Amino acid sequence: MVNLETNKNAAERAQIALGRAEFTVAAHRLEQLPPDAGVEVACAGRSNAGKSSALNALSGRKDLARVSKTPGRTQQLVVFVLDPERRLVDLPGYGYAAVPLDLRAYWGQLLQRYFDGRGALRGLLMAVDVRRGIGEYDRIMLTLAQERGLPAHVLLTKSDKLGRGAAAKALQEARAALEREFPDARAQLFSASASTGVDEARGVLAEWLGL
Ligand code: GDP
């Protein structure tokens, strides 16, 4: 049986931990990352999917993810340290049409190596615009997580933009697609604007980060 009190406490612990997050490094190369110890969660999402807004809502801070949007950092692994044992790593979106092919190949290899080799990595949190559904870029990221045997959690963002029925349908479709292709991935509705699903997502982070 689900223990609501425990879940609420876990969500609170995640909020407190995320609220203390400090930008530490933006890495072009894996060698620039902090030592591969403790635990970390990777965050991904197409540009404009609502990832920054989600990270801000989860942390209860308005500006947490702004640093990831600084020009030049959008193609780096942006590391936030929560405490000496825990980190969030904001991944670059390498799948965009605007990115030259050779750079895309570079980022593809870098992310592959990150997922393959990063022992501290515990899960992938992914922002997907609920109106677009799971797309090609998202599938690449989910594949990286799955190949490593890691869980993924999809936030279907901006759910306030859909009516209740349409949002429920989009959730059902996303879950059906994940069940077929990525059995270790879960999905939930999320809205930073309406604070929908915030504690549910915090609970997942608390579990992965051992909070
Ligand atoms: P990112 O590029 O994935 O980091 O996306 P942002 O967080 O910057 O959001 C992209 C756009 O979507 C911005 O205009 C946000 O204001 C908007 N947005 C993000 N989250 C929500 C939400 O929960 N509801 C609504 N209505 N808009 C949102």
Side-chain angles (χ1 to χ4, degrees), residues 78-94:
V78 177
V79 181
F80 299 93
V81 167
L82 312 186
D83 65 42
E85 297 294 312
R86 299 178 177 89
R87 294 174 297 278
L88 274 188
V89 178
D90 195 1
L91 302 180
Y94 72 89

Side-chain angles (χ1 to χ4, degrees), residues 46-53 69 158 160-161 191-193:
R46 286 175 54 104
S47 172
N48 225 37
K51 180 178 63 172
S52 305
S53 304
K69 295 215 161 198
K158 312 185 198 178
D160 59 286
K161 296 235 187 198
S191 166
S193 310

Side-chain angles (χ1 to χ4, degrees), residues 22-177:
E22 299 251 14
F23 164 68
T24 307
V25 68
H28 275 291
R29 292 179 287 113
L30 297 186
E31 298 70 39
Q32 297 168 322
L33 291 175
D36 189 6
V39 292
E40 70 193 29
V41 169
C43 309
R46 286 175 54 104
S47 172
N48 225 37
K51 180 178 63 172
S52 305
S53 304
L55 290 177
N56 289 342
L58 292 169
S59 65
R61 280 167 50 178
K62 286 196 165 62
D63 61 339
L64 176 66
R66 188 175 39 115
V67 64
S68 299
K69 295 215 161 198
T70 309
R73 289 207 180 125
T74 50
Q75 291 294 324
Q76 298 174 328
L77 288 86
V78 177
V79 181
F80 299 93
V81 167
L82 312 186
D83 65 42
E85 297 294 312
R86 299 178 177 89
R87 294 174 297 278
L88 274 188
V89 178
D90 195 1
L91 302 180
Y94 72 89
Y96 312 142
V99 178
L101 268 182
D102 51 350
L103 194 61
R104 267 199 262 177
Y106 173 76
W107 281 107
Q109 283 168 17
L110 185 100
L111 289 177
Q112 181 86 55
R113 283 200 297 127
Y114 171 73
F115 273 89
D116 286 349
R118 191 75 174 166
L121 188 56
R122 290 293 180 274
L124 171 68
L125 183 71
M126 206 163 67
V128 173
D129 189 320
V130 71
R131 296 163 302 173
R132 297 183 71 113
I134 295 162
E136 186 193 0
Y137 165 85
D138 310 312
R139 285 186 162 80
I140 291 171
M141 303 309 295
L142 289 166
T143 301
L144 288 172
Q146 174 155 287
E147 284 175 353
R148 168 71 193 281
L150 287 172
H153 192 75
V154 176
L155 303 179
L156 295 168
T157 59
K158 312 185 198 178
S159 67
D160 59 286
K161 296 235 187 198
L162 294 181
R164 192 176 295 219
K169 184 162 175 276
L171 175 62
Q172 203 178 29
E173 282 171 7
R175 283 181 171 162

